[in-house]
Every structure is written in C-alpha cells, then in structure tokens.
Amino acid sequence: MRSNLPLEVLGLMGPVLSWIEGTEGLRLPQSWLVDGIHPKEREQGWLLRELPTYSYDNVDEILKLRRKEGSEDWRPPLWVKRARREVAPPADFDLMEAFGRLGERYFRWNSSELRVQEGRLEELHELALRFPVAHLIRSMHARVVAAGHLSAERALDLPEHLSLLHTSSHGLWTVVHRGVSEGHMHLWGVMSADEVWADHLLEALTPEALKGFSPEERRLLVLSRACVRLLALGVLFASLWPEIEEENASSRLFSLLPLFDEIYLARNRAEEREAQRRLREAFRDTVDRPESWLDRAAGREETGWLLRLANPLIPRLPHKDGAAGRLADEGIRSRIRLLGRLHFTVQKKLLELPLPGRNEPLKPPHLARELLHQAFFRYLIYHTHHWQLATQSGKTTGLRQFQRFFNSRQRRVLPQSAVEEQGLILERLRHAECLRHVEGRISLPGRPRDLVPWILGYAQGVQRKQLEGFGFVIHFLKASRGQTDERAIRAGGRKNRVVRYGRIRRKTRDEAFRLFRLLSTPHPAVPFLVGIDAANLELPTPPEVFAPAFRFLREYPIETRTVSRPFDRFGTYREILSLLENRRLGMTYHVGEEFRHLLSGLRAIAETIEFLAPRPGDRLGHAIALAVEPEVWAEQIGYQAVLPKQEWLDTLVWVHHFLGSGYDLLGGLGVEDRIQQLSRAIYGASRAGDAGGAGDWPIPTLHDAWSLRQLDPYSVDLERILRDREYSIRDRTRHGVHHQRWADVQARVLAEVNEHVGSNQAYKLLRLYWYHSEVRKEGDRITTVDMQPDREAWLALCHAVQEKMKTLVRSRELVVEVNPSSNRIIGPFAEMSHHHVFRMTLNDAQRLSREIRVTVNTDDPGVFNTSLAHEYYLLGEILLRKGMPEAEVMSWLDWLRGNGNDACFVRALPEPGDPRIEKILTSLQSSCRPLLERLGGERSRSSVRWESFWEKLEERVPPRERDAAEMLQEFIRKARSEDLEALARALGPSLNPGDSHA
C-alpha cells in the first residue's frame, strides 16, 4: 500500500521510516509527482537525493539507481558502506528540527491544550499508521514549556495519544460533544501499542521477561530497554556536566552506541548474543563503577527517577490491583507516565543544550546533546519498529495480517489477573472523549462470574457519569483455515459420512447451547447481554455455518427459568425477570469485509440477510463490498481475481437469480455458460447419480440448493426427504430442552425454505454439497477470473449488483457499522477519502442521502490507534477538504451520531439510576466484595477464614509436598469464595472451615 504522505513529510521522517519499511513502503503516488517530469525519474531523484536511506533494501536499490545515473568508474560513497554497521542519523539531520517543522505543520497550542491543525488530521493519521506520533506530541509539549506557557508537571498530565487530542474545528467538536455511542468494538483490542510498549519496556532485563517473544521482538525489547537506560544516563550527564570531573565519562557513554548497532544489525543469533554480552559489560563498567560520577545524583530528588531507570536491572513497577470500586491498574499507568516523562525530558534537554558552532571545540554540553541525539534517534528506530509490529501499519492489509497483529505477543500486557486487565481497558474507555453508550464485543466466557469485573466497571462509569450504558455482544468465532476439518465428524448416523464445515458447526452449536443456558438463569450478568455476533476471518467460514445458531438464539425472547427462592442467591430474580421481559437479542454479523471477488462479497451479504433472517435494526459489520468503488477494488487486484470454483459457481448462480435471467450484462459476459461449465466440473455425472446427461443442472435448481444451505445438516433428515419426501427433523426430545428448541427452530426454517424449492433435485444437490468428498475436492480447486478483456462490462455488473443490494438493505431496515481506520488498513482503500461510507450516505451531487442507516465505530481502537471522536473528526475533515459546505458536513456527522445512538443495542437497558439496575449492581458488588477486598490487599472476615483454612492444610501436607500445596493455594485463591465448602469437602472433614462462617 502506498504512503499518502507529502514529499516534505517523507523527507523529514525518511531517516527513521526507511530503516523499517525500505523504499517499498514509501513509494510515491502518481498524483504527488511534479508536473513536467517523468514519474519514474522524479521517484528516482527523490530516492537518490531527498531521502536519506540506510536499510539493506534501500542501499541495494540506491546502488542500482546510481550506477544507471553515474559514470562507469562510480564508487559508492562512504555512507553506503557505513550504513551496514551504523544506525546513525545523517550529519545534517537534526531530530528536533524535524519535529519542530512537523509540529508546526500538524499542531497548534490553544491556551491550555494541544490541538490538531484544521485540515491536517487526515495527513497526520496517515503518518500515525507508520510512526508513533506521541513523540511529536511530547516535542510540542517541550516547546511550550521552553516558551514559558506551561509548567513541566502540567505538561506531563496532558494526553500524548493522537486519538485523544481535540480538533481545531469548533463545528466538529460541537457535534461529537453531543454524545456518541460505540456499537462495534472488540474489548480486547482496546489496549494501545504505547501502553503495551511501556509495560514491556520497563521490565527487568532477565531471560524470564523475554519468554514467548519471536527473535525479532526479543531483539527489539533488549535494545529498547537498554536504550531507555542510555537515555536516562544521557539526561543525567547533561544535568551534571558542570560538576563532572571524569574526562572519559562521555567517551564511555558514546562507546555503547556501536554495541546497539551490532545487536540491531546482527546477521545471526551468535552475533547477537556476543554483542549483548559486550553491551552488558559496558553498562556494568559505566554504571556500577565505584566512585562513579553518578554518585553525585544519588541524593538528589530531581534525578532519583532517572537513576531508577538507569539501574542495570530495571525493576518492574508493582501492579496495584484495584480494591472495591477501583479496578484500574495504577501500575501500568505509572509506567506509562514514567516513560512519557523520560520522552519529554529528553526532548526538553535537546532543546536546551546548545549546538556547537562551526570550527568550535566540543564542550561537555555539546557532547551531552550529541549523545542524546544519537541515542534518541536509535530509540525512535526501535520504537517505530515495534509500532509496526504491534499496530497494523499502513502497508499491511487484509484480515490475515490483522489476525497476526492482534495475536502478537507484543500486544499483550502482563497483568496479574484478568480483573486488572479488564479494569485498565475500562479505564481507557471512560477517558474516551464524549463516549456515552458502549457495546463491548467479547467471546462467550467460560463462567458467568468472568463478566463481573466488566459489570462493576460499568457501575463505576455510571457513578462518574461518563458512561450512560454498557453492554456485551457475545461473538462467535469464525474458524481459521484448517480449523473446519470435517474428516473426524460423522453426520446422519452414517459411519463413513462427513459433513462440510462439520467441526465449526458443532463448536458453534455447543456455544449456542451454553449461551442459551446462561440466558435461562437469573444471573445478574444476563440483562447486560444485548446481542450476538460472529467475527474473525471471513473467507474460511460462510454465513451458512452460523445460520442455525443465530436463528436458535433469536427465535424467541430471552426467557429466564422459574427458580425456587433459595436458588436466587443474589436476591434479584424479580428485577432480572422484569428487565428481560419480551426482550430479544440484537444481531450483528461481520460480513463483506474480506472477499476474493467483489461479487462474492455481495453474495456473502445476501447470505447473511437470507440465512440469518435479521430483523429491522439489526446490523451488518463493515460491509465494505456493499459500497466500495468497483474501480478502486479492481485496480487493487489488477482486474484478476483468484478464487475456488465452488465460490465462483455459487456467486454466478446467485447473481443470475438476483438480477434476473434477462439482464443484458449476464448474456454479454456469458454467465450462463460459465455456470454450466463449473457445475459440470463440480457436480459431474459420475457424482450426481441420477442427475442424467452430462451432469447439467438447471440454474434455478442450483439456486434452490444454495438457499437450502441455511439448514443444519445434523438436524435435517435428508435421507428421509429424498426417500419418502417427508420433510422432517430428527427427534431430539431425549437430549433436553435446548435440543428440542433447536429442532423446533429447524423445523420452522425447513418449512419456510421448502415453499420456494422447485423440485427434489435441489435436495440431491444439497446432499452432494454437504457430504460428497469429491465435490468438496473439486470445488476447492482454484480458478482465475480475468476481467481485463471485458473490464467495462464487469464493472457495470458490479455497480448493478451493488445498487440492488443497497435497495435490499434499505428495505430490510438494516444498519451498517463502518469502522473508518480499520477499513482503511484492512480493506482495499488506498486512502481514507475512498472509504465506502461516503458512497453509502452521499449521492452523486455529494449531498446527504439518508437511505441506508450507517453508524461509525472503532473496531479495535488499540490496534488502529484511534478513538470514536477521532473517527468522527477524520470523516468530517475529509469532506471539508473536498469543499463540502461546513453546515452540510455538520448535518451529516450529526445524522451519523444519531444513528449510532438509536441503533445501539444497549439502549434496551433502562436509563442509569433505574432502581432495578441499582439493586442488581449493589447485590453483585456485595457478593463479590471478598474477591475485591482480597485484590485490594485488605483483610476481611473471608480472608481470615481462608488463612485459618490454609494453616490447617499445611499441618496435613508433608514437607516434600509443600511446593505443590503452595501452587494449589495460589490457584484456589483466585477462585470464588463460594467454592470454599466444596474444596473443604474434597480435602476431608477435618479441614472443613464451616465453623468460621459468619
């Protein structure tokens, strides 16, 4: 993906970005090339003269280009040779000058806070995809402090995340501050890369702290932690230089820099280990020497924190688990503040220390500034490298890339408990600007009590009047490739029969049963479960897999079983029952985000609408295929799509039925002939049994078989239908109420679908599709769709299908969830102005069209370094830059904001302060107080009871088994206090702590 950054910005950031991305990530778009100069010549000139380059890839390319330009006796300059062993800035490059020019371009100081310059947010957003702009923000804070407009302590309290800064447009700010609702956000994607960076960076440099990381990640962490120490030493050196008597103090600090470069550029593990050993020894000689110059800083309060960072083994700051009513992690927040203070102080010193004049001898302040400049440049390289590992950068697209980033070890904080991490995530949400309602997507928890920290966090948000509603959307996980292996699955009582997508079908059904059982109990978490979704990679698992589970969960309102009074341990049964009366789960589904062909993505949306039967107000997640510009998509893939035969056959059959057989473009492109060729290849005569002829199937029959896929192969008695023509469901009464309900729903779906099936031949095709291994094998074979010869006809066909699909979405009154930053990076958009939200909501005259309801969301704000307010600002500034009148832009944004508030499933819950909600939260917090008190370090009657219990246990455990007992103790201490009796009974009557119960 090309960088949408001007040459001026790329020239300023080139020395940093080129190390990580090479020229591939910085290639110039055609629209930015100077008129009158051939694009290739302009690009070569920029690479050769305007962009300092130092990475291996860049050096090789520069050498080739220079050989073409220069004479035969051209020799590479010295900097090319040095580039392979130094990570150093160019002689004429100054970081603070570059930061100053970028700061003036992107920010302005508004009396008490930093704001983004009007019209610059889109460009800054593109830079933030590649570079941690928190350093730019801290640089601006340092300049404001140097100018005397702000104190240093106040500057440290200002936000350093781009997503938390205000826009300079008063109109945009006014719209967003009316209150926005988040309807598509995965809770575990909230942690930002900078928060994870701070948590990892201030770890001790021990082997245990580096376990689980890849070699590349481990190398970056070692370098970054060592570089933090060097920066702290550099600031101390700059602060103490008038008092330093040792002449070689600066030379010893400078000697560390080549060792950093050796580690970063090591070609193998042996070189890396040797360089790391030498680096440790060099630090030991520098910091741990007796009577070192650092002793002067030991007793000073203002430099104590720097000595702590310069310690050879940086101690992990203690995590502070929250007590009752305080779940936020003070440990990680303190670490973030400490690291931000270092960033700020380094840049403040770089601004204060003088630059040497021409032919002027270097003095200690000059040496201190050069040391900080060299070390900070390397730190930026490491930080940017980590940023592009832990945040999906602009040149990596696709859901598979996103999955790799999301599951990266680099993104994981290291909390002591899930309560701690959940508290930190909720703290991030409460500090999000103008956020009112939040739907957090989360996978089905193993136990209902796993939802308790989230619910208590919601209670805190209500008490602070920063969140008006918080609910959970339980999402089912689509399978990754290889996880749908069905060879171990048998269906229909046939010993050797397997079913397509069998493994993920059963997994989804079991999770639906678990959720059904939870919804049927009077647990206080149940009222906060507001919807269901399916997420993850889209291509391996089509909507047909989730159709039975979604219909099962949404066919009836939520019903709570009638329970006896003693079972109602929370005393809130009546309140829960009244909250759930006649309430249904909302439905949203990730679809149309990942597709091999645009028509296949549109078919997936049609399958979602037909198979999952969404109701008015239900939502489609992303739905990029619905409105992406076909020309933009086709250019991205080079007018050539590669996809499985079965997928292409299903797509053509659906398009033929969707548009009608008489549509002119279908005949011009030979769609019917293509369908017959593919159907013969997949459902040939040798596999079709009594299909007859050469295996030709009527197109209506192929479409009927496609529509039957929404049925559950484990429930439909397909053999009986084909043999006796009795459309029946297998008896499941003996398996329990949830199985019976599943069968009832499937019987209703079968009756509805069968009304539109023209003949039993469709059921024969369905049997081949579900069970026949040769059909699966042939259908998985790859075919290439070359659209280049008929490109205009294919684009016209895509436009026609899109327009009719939009009409279908409007008629069903469905809502589309868009996630601008997520879609820009994962989807086929070269720049944000191509985003499909504009085609869905604006007509050809660029005026507001209210036909499709659209909401704006963040998806995974930590992964994409964004916030909901930032997304609104970004969309508004794009339209303002295009010349749309400001009043119309504000009206459009306010309409999007209203859609988000109205379509939010959380609005099914009562307003804050409702006595029913208050009673549920009070009883839940009271029942969980022992857990929270234990986390907060407070002694309670429960904790005393536990200590007495463990004293008895230790008396009975032999000494050689004490270690195992301690492990057991640590494990059980994390369990609920209600499990104490069961544990005591399992260990024996003499250990029963029941006598100490209150």
Side-chain angles (χ1 to χ4, degrees), residues 595-598 600 633-634 637-644 648 782-788:
F595 44 87
R596 299 182 180 96
H597 195 286
L598 181 55
S600 297
W633 161 78
I637 66 170
Y639 287 90
Q640 195 171 65
V642 179
L643 66 169
W648 190 228
I782 297 299
T783 184
T784 301
V785 181
D786 187 4
M787 298 177 289
Q788 189 66 39

Side-chain angles (χ1 to χ4, degrees), residues 255-476:
S255 67
L256 298 172
L257 296 174
L259 297 176
F260 288 158
D261 300 347
E262 288 185 28
I263 296 175
Y264 190 69
L265 301 175
R267 299 177 184 273
N268 52 55
R269 181 66 173 143
E271 289 185 10
E272 180 185 343
R273 288 175 178 170
E274 176 61 21
Q276 287 185 19
R277 182 189 64 79
R278 292 167 56 197
L279 182 63
R280 286 194 297 270
E281 292 179 356
F283 264 116
R284 191 177 301 112
D285 292 341
T286 302
V287 181
D288 299 340
R289 297 180 67 222
E291 300 180 0
S292 169
W293 57 274
L294 292 174
D295 293 341
R296 299 178 180 273
R300 302 188 180 186
E301 182 179 353
E302 66 274 12
T303 55
W305 67 278
L306 289 168
L307 281 175
R308 186 177 186 182
L309 286 177
N311 192 287
L313 290 179
I314 300 173
R316 179 179 177 83
L317 297 182
H319 286 272
K320 181 180 178 181
D321 292 320
R326 188 180 180 86
L327 293 174
D329 176 13
E330 294 290 344
I332 295 179
R333 290 169 61 192
S334 299
R335 296 153 74 82
I336 295 170
R337 180 179 173 84
L338 180 61
L339 199 60
R341 184 179 184 184
L342 178 64
H343 296 166
F344 170 79
T345 306
V346 168
Q347 300 199 51
K348 185 170 177 289
K349 286 293 182 183
L350 285 172
L351 290 172
E352 294 172 352
L353 293 171
L355 284 167
R358 186 179 297 274
N359 300 324
E360 180 183 352
L362 293 179
K363 297 179 180 180
H366 303 148
L367 293 173
R369 191 187 191 283
E370 180 63 18
L371 173 67
L372 284 176
H373 188 257
Q374 292 273 346
F376 192 45
F377 180 83
R378 287 167 171 83
Y379 180 79
L380 286 180
I381 298 293
Y382 310 148
H383 194 179
T384 306
H385 200 156
H386 167 272
W387 182 262
Q388 297 192 10
L389 288 174
T391 303
Q392 190 160 3
S393 63
K395 68 173 187 175
T396 54
T397 60
L399 272 176
R400 294 188 185 281
Q401 287 285 350
F402 166 77
Q403 189 181 51
R404 180 173 67 85
F405 282 99
F406 189 85
N407 295 327
S408 169
R409 180 71 168 80
Q410 289 281 64
R411 285 200 64 255
R412 294 290 180 250
V413 293
L414 305 173
Q416 292 181 343
S417 67
V419 174
E420 185 179 38
E421 188 166 2
Q422 291 164 356
L424 182 60
I425 291 172
L426 285 165
E427 188 74 9
R428 276 288 314 279
L429 296 179
R430 282 194 295 272
H431 282 82
E433 187 182 10
C434 317
L435 199 57
R436 294 296 177 260
H437 300 94
V438 176
E439 285 178 26
R441 277 167 167 75
I442 190 170
S443 57
L444 183 63
R447 302 161 299 182
R449 63 173 176 265
D450 294 337
L451 294 172
V452 169
W454 298 106
I455 298 174
L456 296 181
Y458 159 72
Q460 294 177 40
V462 170
Q463 291 169 1
R464 299 183 185 186
K465 297 183 179 179
Q466 292 178 322
L467 286 178
E468 295 179 3
F470 188 93
F472 307 101
V473 174
I474 303 298
H475 67 69
F476 297 85

